[in-house]
Amino acid sequence: MAEQAQAEGGASPKSETLMEKIADKLHIGGGDGSSSSDSDNDERPRPSAPPAHSEVTESFADSAAAEAKAKVFRLFGREKPIHNVLGGGKPADVFLWRNRNISAGVLGGFTVIWVLFELLGYHLLTFVCHGLIFSLGLLFLWSNASSFINKSPPRIPEVIIPEDLVVKIALSTRYEINRAFANLRQIALGRDIKKFLIVIAGLWLLSVLGSCCNFLTLLYIVFVVLHMVPILYEKYEEQIDSYGEKGWVEIKKQYAVFDAKVLSKVPRGPLKDKKH
């Protein structure tokens, strides 16, 4: 009995040590699992924070400013710069005084022509003939006297008008004339009363100007206006567009009243031509 008790007493500490080892292992494994789960939680991507209120406000302000800029009123509904409206290239540079010497020279030359024909009473045929007489006489004397004065004769360039240029001008002129005839036909058919009134007012204004001055003076006035108005408009574009917008709104109001009282009661022509 004593040996049996001794054997049980020796086996119990062994079992206790085995159980302690198993518990220690389980404790270590549980610790590793908790640490790994913590690391997994740390490595998970966190949702991004919503954009700040200041960024949203700035983007909204930029879009509103761009929309307001796109809706800025421009005279005659133009969307291009004034340089492109005038056709671009050298003619637009002359009208906008990009090169002051060239623009002043062109304006001065046209002014001399107007003074000769209007103030001095020169006629076109007389002016052309006198100019040719003076030029041919001077070149003829220079060519014959060059051998006596030991100077080279004048170099007279050969002038040839290219065929392509003439064809392009003819096609452009034909297109514009046909478009004018088509517009006049549409107006005569009574389909657009607004365009009809605009054309009648324009023709009446031209007739008044024609009774005050002749064609050359009218052409000179237009030429001077083209040299003065675009450069002034380009310089004070914002102010002019502001006043133009106010005037355009008032014109539209008056036209709406006139349309309701008068134009709406005028019978109009058929919308489409009858097919035969």
Side-chain angles (χ1 to χ4, degrees):
M1 294 295 291
E3 293 178 355
Q4 187 177 2
Q6 185 179 0
E8 291 177 357
S12 60
K14 290 182 180 179
S15 62
E16 290 178 359
T17 56
L18 181 62
M19 294 297 293
E20 290 177 356
K21 290 181 179 180
I22 292 173
D24 293 338
K25 289 183 179 180
L26 291 175
H27 179 69
I28 294 171
D32 293 337
S34 61
S35 63
S36 64
S37 63
D38 294 338
S39 63
D40 291 341
N41 292 332
D42 293 337
E43 291 178 356
R44 288 178 185 175
R46 297 180 179 179
S48 59
H53 179 69
S54 60
E55 296 179 358
V56 176
T57 305
E58 290 178 359
S59 62
F60 179 76
D62 294 339
S63 61
E67 186 178 357
K69 186 177 180 181
K71 293 182 178 181
V72 174
F73 178 83
R74 299 297 181 192
L75 284 180
F76 309 110
R78 65 178 184 86
E79 298 178 355
K80 299 179 180 180
I82 189 65
H83 188 272
N84 294 340
V85 173
L86 293 175
K90 293 183 178 180
D93 293 340
V94 172
F95 291 136
L96 293 175
W97 294 77
R98 295 290 188 260
N99 190 326
R100 295 181 180 274
N101 295 330
I102 295 177
S103 300
V106 172
L107 184 59
F110 205 89
T111 302
V112 170
I113 293 175
W114 178 76
V115 170
L116 288 174
F117 289 119
E118 285 299 315
L119 300 183
L120 300 181
Y122 236 56
H123 297 284
L124 178 62
L125 183 60
T126 305
F127 175 76
V128 172
C129 291
H130 286 178
L132 290 175
I133 290 171
F134 177 77
S135 301
L136 292 175
L138 181 62
L139 293 174
F140 180 81
L141 293 176
W142 187 0
S143 300
N144 287 277
S146 60
S147 58
F148 297 101
I149 60 178
N150 295 325
K151 288 187 177 182
S152 60
R155 296 181 180 180
I156 303 174
E158 184 178 1
V159 179
I160 298 176
I161 300 176
E163 183 179 358
D164 296 339
L165 178 61
V166 177
V167 171
K168 289 180 180 179
I169 294 175
L171 291 176
S172 300
T173 306
R174 173 180 171 273
Y175 173 76
E176 295 296 335
I177 292 175
N178 288 337
R179 190 174 67 170
F181 283 154
N183 289 330
L184 292 176
R185 180 177 179 274
Q186 294 295 327
I187 293 171
L189 290 174
R191 297 175 181 174
D192 194 341
I193 299 179
K194 182 178 179 180
K195 187 180 293 185
F196 170 76
L197 294 176
I198 292 174
V199 171
I200 293 299
L203 292 175
W204 177 79
L205 181 60
L206 285 177
S207 67
V208 172
L209 293 176
S211 62
C212 298
C213 56
N214 57 17
F215 179 74
L216 182 61
T217 303
L218 181 61
L219 189 63
Y220 178 70
I221 292 173
V222 172
F223 195 78
V224 172
V225 168
L226 286 175
H227 271 77
M228 298 301 175
V229 173
I231 184 64
L232 293 176
Y233 176 73
E234 188 179 40
K235 187 176 182 180
Y236 304 102
E237 182 176 1
E238 299 297 333
Q239 294 86 341
I240 295 175
D241 286 341
S242 177
Y243 288 114
E245 182 178 10
K246 296 177 182 177
W248 181 247
V249 170
E250 187 64 26
I251 290 174
K252 290 179 69 174
K253 290 181 180 179
Q254 298 299 329
Y255 177 78
V257 174
F258 182 72
D259 186 22
K261 293 183 177 180
V262 179
L263 298 183
S264 60
K265 300 178 181 179
V266 177
R268 302 185 181 185
L271 297 178
K272 296 183 180 180
D273 295 336
K274 295 182 180 179
K275 295 182 180 180
H276 298 287

